[in-house]
Amino acid sequence: MSNTENTVFYWGTGRRKTAVARIRIVPGNGKVTINGRAATDYLNHNLAFMAAVTAALETLGLEKEYDLLVNSKGGGLSGQADAIKQGVARALCKLSPDNRKPLKAEGHLSRDPRAKERRKYGLKKARKAPQFSKR
């Protein structure tokens, strides 16, 4: 929790693949701003990404009570959207400890461990072998 000029806000950090999102929850009317742009513009009007961003707020029924100020970097839009979802859930846990149980039940607090597998030597990608030639 931080207090600047009598405005109380809560921080949360989320991660997914190589994306990292820092979220600040401020009392407001449900506006979401990502890297200084409206969320729908930033996420290319993708409804699935928008649903992921607001999922934690909708679980608690708070989508019209708080504004989200997001600083997101790394990865693509899919990873950033899921990182934002986790960050919002973590910030809501700081807002009230009672929020933790419903958010955990919905899986918003879990970090998705799936990431790109590293490339191995002798192969073209992580598992793709070079083309075989008999002669």
Side-chain angles (χ1 to χ4, degrees):
M1 183 178 96
S2 299
N3 189 350
T4 305
E5 299 174 16
N6 298 331
T7 304
V8 177
F9 55 86
Y10 299 87
W11 286 101
T13 303
R15 294 180 183 85
R16 168 79 167 98
K17 294 185 177 179
T18 59
V20 179
R22 293 183 320 204
I23 289 82
R24 192 166 72 178
I25 292 185
V26 184
N29 55 8
K31 196 169 78 172
V32 181
T33 307
I34 303 174
N35 293 344
R37 293 167 54 189
T40 51
D41 291 340
Y42 187 83
L43 298 173
N44 293 336
H45 301 278
N46 187 316
L47 297 177
F49 294 160
M50 279 304 298
V53 167
T54 58
L57 288 169
E58 288 173 4
T59 299
L60 300 173
L62 301 172
E63 59 268 17
K64 297 292 181 198
E65 294 180 32
Y66 292 97
D67 289 345
L68 302 178
L69 302 171
V70 180
N71 183 346
S72 183
K73 63 180 180 181
L77 292 181
S78 175
Q80 287 185 5
D82 284 344
I84 293 168
K85 177 174 81 167
Q86 185 190 28
V88 170
R90 285 181 171 181
L92 288 170
C93 286
K94 290 181 182 176
L95 181 90
S96 170
D98 299 335
N99 293 340
R100 184 169 175 80
K101 197 163 193 163
L103 290 172
K104 194 162 178 67
E106 290 289 321
H108 298 312
L109 292 170
S110 308
R111 188 205 192 287
D112 192 340
R114 295 175 296 169
K116 188 172 172 108
E117 190 175 340
R118 80 173 197 86
R119 181 184 171 274
K120 281 79 171 186
Y121 59 88
L123 300 181
K124 293 199 175 289
K125 290 168 51 177
R127 298 184 185 208
K128 183 179 180 174
Q131 185 174 9
F132 175 76
S133 172
K134 194 176 234 181
R135 290 176 198 36

mmCIF file of all heavy atoms in Angstrom, residues 1 9 18 22 25 51 53 58 77 83 113:
data_model
loop_
_atom_site.group_PDB
_atom_site.id
_atom_site.type_symbol
_atom_site.label_atom_id
_atom_site.label_comp_id
_atom_site.label_asym_id
_atom_site.label_seq_id
_atom_site.Cartn_x
_atom_site.Cartn_y
_atom_site.Cartn_z
ATOM 1 N N MET A 1 0.850 -1.185 0.000
ATOM 2 C CA MET A 1 0.000 0.000 0.000
ATOM 3 C C MET A 1 0.886 1.235 0.000
ATOM 4 O O MET A 1 1.871 1.291 0.709
ATOM 5 C CB MET A 1 -0.897 -0.006 1.233
ATOM 6 C CG MET A 1 -1.852 1.155 1.281
ATOM 7 S SD MET A 1 -2.933 1.089 2.697
ATOM 8 C CE MET A 1 -2.057 2.145 3.809
ATOM 9 N N PHE A 9 -3.271 3.598 -3.057
ATOM 10 C CA PHE A 9 -3.249 2.626 -4.140
ATOM 11 C C PHE A 9 -2.450 1.403 -3.712
ATOM 12 O O PHE A 9 -1.694 1.436 -2.750
ATOM 13 C CB PHE A 9 -2.693 3.226 -5.435
ATOM 14 C CG PHE A 9 -1.340 3.858 -5.320
ATOM 15 C CD1 PHE A 9 -0.199 3.102 -5.452
ATOM 16 C CD2 PHE A 9 -1.223 5.224 -5.085
ATOM 17 C CE1 PHE A 9 1.051 3.682 -5.357
ATOM 18 C CE2 PHE A 9 0.013 5.817 -4.987
ATOM 19 C CZ PHE A 9 1.162 5.042 -5.118
ATOM 20 N N THR A 18 7.947 -14.299 -20.831
ATOM 21 C CA THR A 18 8.981 -13.293 -20.563
ATOM 22 C C THR A 18 8.371 -11.935 -20.248
ATOM 23 O O THR A 18 9.088 -10.937 -20.184
ATOM 24 C CB THR A 18 9.936 -13.157 -21.765
ATOM 25 O OG1 THR A 18 9.174 -12.778 -22.905
ATOM 26 C CG2 THR A 18 10.670 -14.456 -22.028
ATOM 27 N N ARG A 22 3.607 -4.528 -13.934
ATOM 28 C CA ARG A 22 3.451 -3.886 -12.622
ATOM 29 C C ARG A 22 2.119 -3.145 -12.643
ATOM 30 O O ARG A 22 1.894 -2.298 -13.510
ATOM 31 C CB ARG A 22 4.598 -2.931 -12.350
ATOM 32 C CG ARG A 22 5.923 -3.641 -12.189
ATOM 33 C CD ARG A 22 7.016 -2.688 -11.852
ATOM 34 N NE ARG A 22 6.869 -1.454 -12.625
ATOM 35 C CZ ARG A 22 7.859 -0.634 -12.912
ATOM 36 N NH1 ARG A 22 9.060 -0.898 -12.498
ATOM 37 N NH2 ARG A 22 7.663 0.465 -13.612
ATOM 38 N N ILE A 25 -3.488 -0.337 -8.435
ATOM 39 C CA ILE A 25 -4.949 -0.269 -8.322
ATOM 40 C C ILE A 25 -5.297 0.995 -7.553
ATOM 41 O O ILE A 25 -4.816 1.211 -6.451
ATOM 42 C CB ILE A 25 -5.510 -1.507 -7.608
ATOM 43 C CG1 ILE A 25 -5.307 -2.739 -8.484
ATOM 44 C CG2 ILE A 25 -6.967 -1.327 -7.277
ATOM 45 C CD1 ILE A 25 -5.930 -3.977 -7.944
ATOM 46 N N ALA A 51 -10.683 -9.806 -21.348
ATOM 47 C CA ALA A 51 -11.317 -10.628 -20.318
ATOM 48 C C ALA A 51 -10.280 -11.095 -19.298
ATOM 49 O O ALA A 51 -10.556 -11.123 -18.090
ATOM 50 C CB ALA A 51 -12.012 -11.824 -20.959
ATOM 51 N N VAL A 53 -7.488 -9.537 -18.478
ATOM 52 C CA VAL A 53 -7.039 -8.387 -17.692
ATOM 53 C C VAL A 53 -8.023 -8.080 -16.557
ATOM 54 O O VAL A 53 -7.624 -7.770 -15.440
ATOM 55 C CB VAL A 53 -6.843 -7.156 -18.609
ATOM 56 C CG1 VAL A 53 -6.691 -5.884 -17.807
ATOM 57 C CG2 VAL A 53 -5.631 -7.356 -19.505
ATOM 58 N N GLU A 58 -13.571 -9.023 -11.869
ATOM 59 C CA GLU A 58 -14.917 -9.564 -12.064
ATOM 60 C C GLU A 58 -15.214 -10.686 -11.076
ATOM 61 O O GLU A 58 -16.362 -10.854 -10.660
ATOM 62 C CB GLU A 58 -15.083 -10.041 -13.506
ATOM 63 C CG GLU A 58 -15.163 -8.885 -14.491
ATOM 64 C CD GLU A 58 -15.161 -9.323 -15.941
ATOM 65 O OE1 GLU A 58 -15.168 -10.547 -16.196
ATOM 66 O OE2 GLU A 58 -15.131 -8.436 -16.808
ATOM 67 N N LEU A 77 1.485 -9.830 -26.546
ATOM 68 C CA LEU A 77 0.241 -9.393 -25.909
ATOM 69 C C LEU A 77 -0.379 -10.490 -25.047
ATOM 70 O O LEU A 77 -0.946 -10.212 -23.986
ATOM 71 C CB LEU A 77 -0.748 -8.923 -26.968
ATOM 72 C CG LEU A 77 -0.374 -7.637 -27.698
ATOM 73 C CD1 LEU A 77 -1.451 -7.276 -28.704
ATOM 74 C CD2 LEU A 77 -0.168 -6.505 -26.720
ATOM 75 N N ALA A 83 0.075 -11.801 -17.499
ATOM 76 C CA ALA A 83 0.879 -11.202 -16.427
ATOM 77 C C ALA A 83 0.070 -10.132 -15.693
ATOM 78 O O ALA A 83 0.135 -10.019 -14.459
ATOM 79 C CB ALA A 83 2.153 -10.601 -17.000
ATOM 80 N N PRO A 113 3.741 -21.624 -15.409
ATOM 81 C CA PRO A 113 5.173 -21.872 -15.572
ATOM 82 C C PRO A 113 5.601 -22.167 -17.011
ATOM 83 O O PRO A 113 6.789 -22.287 -17.275
ATOM 84 C CB PRO A 113 5.403 -23.097 -14.688
ATOM 85 C CG PRO A 113 4.112 -23.831 -14.747
ATOM 86 C CD PRO A 113 3.048 -22.760 -14.823
#
